Amino acid sequence: MNKQKIVMSLSGGMDSCTLAALAIDKGYEVHAVSFNYGQKHSKELEAAKEFCKANAITHKVVDITSINSLLSGSTLTDGTAAPEGHYEEESMKSTVVPNRNAILGNLCIGYAASIGASEVWMGTHAGDHAIYPDCRPEFISAMDALAKFSGWNDPITVKAPFLFSDKGGIAKTGLALGVDYSKTWTCYNGREKACGKCGACQERLEAFASCNATDPLAYE
Ligand SMILES: [Zn+2]
């Protein structure tokens, strides 16, 4: 059987792992890429590897640290402490890597063209729209338009199935699909257990709470 291939960036967090599970459920052959952009810790990449192994997903880890000197300004890579407290606009702005989704998305489009994949899926969701300019619906449309020029094969389509879902909606989808969230990592800090205090942890815990579910991940 010849399954339709899709390419997606898989960080190891709950959004991208749920997206991969959704694609598998819909019968696609998933080709996942994890980008090592010099994260302060490797917990996410480890989670990505483990998740892909557990779900028989073709997985590549690509080192893009050499472009970091062009993309300063993110507390996720520059050694500054990640902001604690609720996921609110001002403090979270320091986590923005400029033009990140266009850069990583285009690498995924190139990979898709190379392996004959028909679609690139992005994990963008509604909760990110306000803070990150490259998470807005207009951005996904622009990426899709751009992907049409990626090669000589059939045009590639860029989709963001969670574009209008919030984090709670993503958790709900994933729980229904049986995603093992103990194999995903969201926390900005890379300690043994998730901190439960950073914006990413708080948002994740709220997503599970909105589904009346308990996060299987261990917290400090
Ligand atoms: Zn945390």
Side-chain angles (χ1 to χ4, degrees):
M1 196 180 82
N2 236 343
K3 285 185 172 182
Q4 211 180 330
K5 293 177 189 171
I6 69 148
V7 167
M8 57 171 291
S9 159
L10 192 132
S11 67
M14 64 181 287
D15 303 344
S16 58
C17 289
T18 307
L19 192 67
L22 181 69
I24 291 168
D25 186 65
K26 290 189 180 297
Y28 290 97
E29 182 183 307
V30 179
H31 293 254
V33 188
S34 297
F35 294 101
N36 175 359
Y37 53 90
Q39 293 92 324
K40 278 182 292 183
H41 60 81
S42 59
K43 295 282 285 189
E44 264 194 334
L45 287 175
E46 286 163 21
K49 281 180 196 164
E50 201 183 336
F51 185 87
C52 289
K53 202 174 164 190
N55 291 283
I57 294 168
T58 307
H59 184 219
K60 278 183 188 284
V61 178
V62 178
D63 187 335
I64 55 164
T65 51
S66 58
I67 65 173
N68 272 356
S69 64
L70 302 177
L71 302 173
S72 56
S74 169
T75 55
L76 299 186
T77 55
D78 71 4
T80 317
E84 280 198 4
H86 199 268
Y87 205 80
E88 48 83 29
E89 182 150 354
E90 275 317 304
S91 67
M92 283 302 129
K93 273 186 180 163
S94 67
T95 66
V96 175
V97 178
N99 204 30
R100 170 182 154 156
N101 284 348
I103 294 163
L104 304 189
N106 271 307
L107 290 173
C108 286
I109 291 168
Y111 181 37
S114 302
I115 62 169
S118 55
E119 298 180 10
V120 169
W121 283 20
M122 302 187 80
T124 310
H125 66 84
D128 285 337
H129 294 175
I131 334 168
Y132 303 95
D134 60 354
C135 290
R136 294 176 190 152
E138 296 85 343
F139 171 81
I140 300 298
S141 304
M143 283 299 285
D144 181 52
L146 198 53
K148 305 302 181 225
F149 301 98
S150 61
W152 291 268
N153 297 328
D154 290 338
I156 292 162
T157 302
V158 175
K159 290 182 180 170
F162 296 144
L163 191 55
F164 299 104
S165 298
D166 60 11
K167 205 98 175 171
I170 292 171
K172 194 178 168 193
T173 300
L175 290 166
L177 291 169
V179 173
D180 181 1
Y181 284 114
S182 71
K183 288 193 168 59
T184 67
W185 185 264
T186 303
C187 183
Y188 283 142
N189 298 298
R191 298 192 285 264
E192 176 74 28
K193 295 176 178 176
C195 78
K197 287 177 183 163
C198 71
C201 278
Q202 290 209 2
E203 202 194 30
R204 174 174 170 132
L205 288 166
E206 284 168 12
F208 276 91
S210 76
C211 301
N212 294 316
T214 306
D215 187 348
L217 196 65
Y219 284 87
E220 286 172 354

